[in-house]
Amino acid sequence: MTLFGVEDVLHRDHESDTLAGTELREQAIQAVAALSATVGEDPQTLYRRVLKLLNLPRLSDADDHDLREILRELRLCEREGRRAYRARLRRVTRVDRPGGIGRLPRPRSVKAASSPGTCSLCSDEYSAGELIGRPPFPEELPYVPIGWLCWHCLVQRRQQPRRRDVLLRTFHALFAGMEGVGLNGHECGVLLDWLTEEPALANSKPWTADPLENTLVRLRSSTADANPATWLSAQTAHTIVAVLQEAPASPVMTPQDGETLEALVQHLAEWETNPAGVRRAQYGTGWRYRQRVLQLTGHPTALSERGGPFHLFQCRVNPSGQLVETE
């Protein structure tokens, strides 16, 4: 029995994490009703607190990522006492974001993590109490809404990109079937340093087959000029990934960078060779085919387990190529 005697309604972590869809939504509604009775809060008032935390007009707009986090919050309210829910069910409304080419859209919701978790984009772990958030729902199909992101991926990844941030942009752009990968000047600088760190890479087999000298010129120019968007063709992206795979170990390369690169190489090969025998007649040749191949991979990775394609946001420019700031 818990503090308020509602253990049968407020399920434990492992139970709610296995729920999904309608069952999960019904569990969340029941949990709100049960907690409102125990804390003496009007059910509709508590319901509105939940919606404000998620920044949604209706609970029916919440997805499974939202609902699981809400259930975790309600469990904490149950454990911490009758007044805890007022402080816990409150989102962060002021988010300082970088300006210029590194700016990302305003998050839909930001809150302190209710428990330790894993970022749905970069797979880094975050601790309870660290700020996490949900990006806006993507407007364009076929992008799938991504789950809760760590602070870096939510706000900083285009201003202070890491190597794996550039790899993630490449992965999801190719996943979605875009004609190329769009990088801002900061990301171009990261990629330029990576490609030129070891001069011997210019003699590698993939570089020799598809020379990257002109690409280096473009990356260098974009870095110097802080361009909001520089597009690399899908073929060039494939060549770059193949070249990076042959780069020797480097102190700059983190284990997470290496794991992301290995996963990217694996899945690009799977999309090319279709080892699971996915029927093209059923799934076509677009993102649905690539999604199905990920689901059937014999060697699951963090990329395949999170799926996608996720909308990673591209800097907006006007017809003359000038940056259009994101509100």
Side-chain angles (χ1 to χ4, degrees):
M1 186 63 67
T2 60
L3 178 65
F4 296 135
V6 291
E7 191 166 334
D8 58 321
V9 174
L10 297 180
H11 283 198
R12 304 303 90 190
D13 291 351
H14 68 278
E15 293 175 296
S16 62
D17 287 349
T18 62
L19 298 177
T22 302
E23 187 178 8
L24 179 61
R25 195 177 311 280
E26 291 176 351
Q27 186 67 56
I29 293 173
Q30 293 173 24
V32 170
L35 187 61
S36 70
T38 60
V39 300
E41 177 78 276
D42 176 74
Q44 289 302 314
T45 300
L46 186 60
Y47 185 77
R48 286 193 293 270
R49 288 186 187 277
V50 170
L51 293 179
K52 285 184 178 180
L53 177 62
L54 298 176
N55 197 17
L56 292 173
R58 298 170 298 274
L59 197 61
S60 59
D61 295 323
D63 59 18
D64 288 358
H65 301 294
D66 291 326
L67 295 172
R68 291 192 182 101
E69 181 68 14
I70 283 299
L71 281 173
R72 287 190 284 265
E73 285 290 353
L74 294 173
R75 282 195 295 269
L76 287 172
C77 292
E78 168 200 6
R79 296 167 186 164
E80 293 180 1
R82 293 180 180 274
R83 297 180 180 178
Y85 75 98
R86 293 180 180 271
R88 294 212 63 89
L89 301 182
R90 182 181 301 165
R91 78 176 191 273
V92 176
T93 56
R94 178 178 175 81
V95 179
D96 292 326
R97 298 172 295 151
I101 64 173
R103 171 164 288 192
L104 286 161
R106 188 180 304 279
R108 188 247 295 174
S109 179
V110 175
K111 65 182 294 296
S114 59
S115 61
T118 303
C119 176
S120 292
L121 181 57
C122 73
S123 301
D124 277 4
E125 295 181 352
Y126 54 78
S127 302
E130 291 185 13
L131 290 180
I132 59 174
R134 297 295 306 276
F137 286 120
E139 299 176 358
E140 305 91 337
L141 295 176
Y143 295 110
V144 177
I146 197 169
W148 292 91
L149 302 183
C150 68
W151 188 250
H152 171 83
C153 286
L154 190 71
V155 176
Q156 294 289 342
R157 60 183 162 85
R158 302 216 68 194
Q159 177 70 19
Q160 300 173 350
R162 307 162 299 188
R163 289 186 170 184
R164 64 182 178 276
D165 294 322
V166 176
L167 295 175
L168 288 168
R169 293 196 69 80
T170 302
F171 175 73
H172 289 291
L174 296 177
F175 190 159
M178 299 175 65
E179 295 182 357
V181 180
L183 304 177
N184 69 20
H186 304 314
E187 294 159 335
C188 286
V190 170
L191 185 55
L192 177 66
D193 290 343
W194 199 351
L195 288 170
T196 57
E197 183 178 51
E198 174 51 63
L201 287 180
N203 297 321
S204 64
K205 185 175 180 179
W207 191 311
T208 302
D210 185 13
L212 295 176
E213 281 76 14
N214 288 338
T215 299
L216 294 185
V217 172
R218 295 184 63 216
L219 292 176
R220 191 170 287 110
S221 175
S222 179
T223 303
D225 298 339
N227 288 340
T230 297
W231 287 90
L232 306 177
S233 70
Q235 176 58 48
T236 297
H238 277 269
T239 299
I240 288 173
V241 172
V243 169
L244 295 178
Q245 187 184 11
E246 300 197 10
S250 165
V252 180
M253 190 78 165
T254 68
Q256 296 91 335
D257 296 335
E259 291 169 1
T260 304
L261 178 59
E262 290 178 6
L264 174 54
V265 169
Q266 172 189 320
H267 295 313
L268 290 182
E270 289 172 338
W271 291 337
E272 179 67 24
T273 62
N274 190 19
V278 175
R279 294 179 56 211
R280 303 286 185 129
Q282 181 177 2
Y283 292 95
T285 59
W287 72 273
R288 294 185 185 278
Y289 159 77
R290 289 183 281 277
Q291 185 178 63
R292 184 59 175 164
V293 172
L294 282 189
Q295 293 171 344
L296 298 178
T297 180
H299 303 281
T301 69
L303 297 180
S304 61
E305 290 167 351
R306 279 163 177 74
F310 299 129
H311 183 99
L312 297 183
F313 178 73
Q314 183 62 50
C315 289
R316 293 182 174 87
V317 295
N318 60 26
S320 63
Q322 298 299 310
L323 175 70
V324 177
E325 282 278 7
T326 302
E327 292 301 325

